[in-house]
Amino acid sequence: MGIFERYLSVWVGLCIVAGVLLGNFLPEQFAWIASLEWAHVNLVVAVLIWVMIYPMMVQIDFSAIKDVGKKPKGLLLTLIINWLIKPFTMAALGWLFFKVFFAGMVDPQSANEYIAGMILLGVAPCTAMVFVWSQLTKGDPNYTLVQVSVNDIVMVFAFAPIAALLLGVSDITVPWETLVLSVVLYVVLPLLAGVLTRRRLEAVGDGERLNRFMHTLKPWSVVGLLGTVTLLFGFQAQTILQQPQTIVLIAIPLLIQTYGIFAIGYGGAKLLKLPHNVAAPACLIGTSNFFELAVAVAISVFGLHSGAALATVVGVLVEVPVMLSLVFFVNRTRSWFTEG
């Protein structure tokens, strides 16, 4: 493990601070970067995420994917967590905190919008960042790809109905351009690039060249992650500084949801006797969120300056530090599971 991975939490913390400071002192520059988007997908962030994911895609061996079907329990666990548990626990926690615990601290309209934003996060399982969490926990890259792909397919059909059910509306607007573009940018393109790279290197060498290439690329995953964190916190720097109390109120149920869903998933993986390299990504997919889609839907349905949009942004802010803590826990509890 290199110095970047060994002290990743330190680098992420420094990037969070740097992002907030830079976003506060250079708001116009960050506003310009934020404006470089298409279908609510920021193109600069997309490039950084692509840099982050591409090295992991090179590791995927398509000849081994056929064996994933021999271990269906990991896929089943992911689907149950993502589509039968997570959206509903998120809605329940949102209602409990903003209708009961925090009822006297926020007005009813804002409370409803915060709950809506939380629901949108709960209905959008992770697509891109999970490849990072899988790599950091030494997850099976082939199995992770299949898990993400299956969830993306389900999301196309299930996102709108579940969101509409929990939000209590029938005309929920799903920005299909955002959904399709995100999947293409974060999964399809880096996957194709990784496959072509791997085939070319395998064709001209005995495997040694491929290993050297992957070793050279490995630090770039962390560079992409740190760049993404810096930009995301830079984009929201003024919101963080201007509404700290509101952000804390929203973050509390989100933190409980994240750790709670992880506990359910990890416990289920243990009961199912999954190997660690399948259990880790299976649980982390359900724990993290497809925040690009959630933010886009919140903006399109409730407005840019709505409480729903703010709640999805808070989801972005808490995700990376929380997921790093879970990665640390997963790695420390590797002995609880068998090796894959």
Side-chain angles (χ1 to χ4, degrees):
M1 181 178 291
I3 189 171
F4 274 134
E5 287 127 325
R6 190 185 304 275
Y7 299 104
L8 185 57
S9 58
V10 175
W11 311 137
V12 168
L14 292 175
C15 286
I16 290 173
V17 174
V20 173
L21 292 177
L22 290 172
N24 186 55
F25 290 113
L26 301 172
E28 294 181 357
Q29 287 78 359
F30 274 85
W32 177 76
I33 296 174
S35 68
L36 301 175
E37 64 174 31
W38 183 34
H40 298 294
V41 175
N42 185 269
L43 300 181
V44 179
V45 172
V47 170
L48 288 172
I49 291 179
W50 202 90
V51 170
M52 184 168 51
I53 294 174
Y54 168 67
M56 305 167 202
M57 294 302 191
V58 177
Q59 300 178 33
I60 294 173
D61 182 3
F62 266 80
S63 64
I65 287 183
K66 64 180 184 300
D67 296 327
V68 168
K70 300 176 181 178
K71 298 179 287 187
K73 292 181 181 179
L75 282 173
L76 181 62
L77 176 66
T78 301
L79 291 172
I80 291 174
I81 292 293
N82 281 343
W83 302 108
L84 297 181
I85 298 178
K86 182 180 178 181
F88 303 97
T89 56
M90 183 73 93
L93 282 172
W95 181 88
L96 180 63
F97 275 85
F98 285 102
K99 292 297 186 180
V100 181
F101 297 153
F102 300 155
M105 304 175 69
V106 296
D107 63 90
Q109 177 63 32
S110 296
N112 288 335
E113 292 185 354
Y114 297 153
I115 295 170
M118 292 176 59
I119 289 172
L120 292 175
L121 284 170
V123 189
C126 188
T127 290
M129 297 289 284
V130 71
F131 291 107
V132 180
W133 315 134
S134 178
Q135 183 187 51
L136 293 175
T137 56
K138 298 181 180 179
D140 183 335
N142 305 314
Y143 205 97
T144 301
L145 173 65
V146 173
Q147 288 173 308
V148 170
S149 300
V150 170
N151 275 282
D152 284 346
I153 293 171
V154 173
M155 182 160 51
V156 170
F157 299 99
F159 179 88
I162 295 178
L165 172 66
L166 294 176
L167 291 173
V169 296
S170 58
D171 58 348
I172 182 75
T173 302
V174 177
W176 296 106
E177 301 91 344
T178 302
L179 178 56
V180 173
L181 180 62
S182 296
V183 172
V184 170
L185 284 176
Y186 302 149
V187 179
V188 177
L189 287 181
L191 175 61
L192 289 175
V195 170
L196 293 175
T197 301
R198 186 183 183 96
R199 286 184 177 178
R200 182 174 180 83
L201 291 174
E202 287 178 335
V204 299
D206 57 359
E208 184 61 29
R209 179 176 292 187
L210 174 62
N211 291 333
R212 289 199 305 268
F213 183 74
M214 289 193 296
H215 180 74
T216 302
L217 280 182
K218 193 174 182 180
W220 285 100
S221 292
V222 178
V223 171
L225 172 62
L226 297 180
T228 303
V229 170
T230 302
L231 276 186
L232 291 177
F233 277 81
F235 292 156
Q236 304 301 329
Q238 295 184 335
T239 301
I240 295 171
L241 297 176
Q242 292 171 4
Q243 304 185 55
Q245 180 180 356
T246 301
I247 289 173
V248 170
L249 293 181
I250 297 172
I252 291 173
L254 287 180
L255 289 171
I256 294 173
Q257 162 79 3
T258 303
Y259 286 116
I261 286 295
F262 173 80
I264 293 172
Y266 212 51
K270 178 65 174 175
L271 290 175
L272 292 173
K273 299 181 179 179
L274 297 179
H276 189 268
N277 63 350
V278 171
C283 299
L284 296 176
I285 288 174
T287 304
S288 54
N289 302 305
F290 187 180
F291 53 79
E292 295 91 344
L293 179 61
V295 171
V297 175
I299 291 173
S300 64
V301 176
F302 298 97
L304 178 62
H305 302 290
S306 65
L310 178 60
T312 58
V313 167
V314 175
V316 178
L317 300 181
V318 302
E319 173 155 328
V320 175
V322 169
M323 293 305 297
L324 283 174
S325 71
L326 292 176
V327 165
F328 175 80
F329 178 80
V330 167
N331 286 332
R332 291 296 298 268
T333 56
R334 188 178 302 274
S335 61
W336 295 4
F337 297 81
T338 61
E339 293 296 331

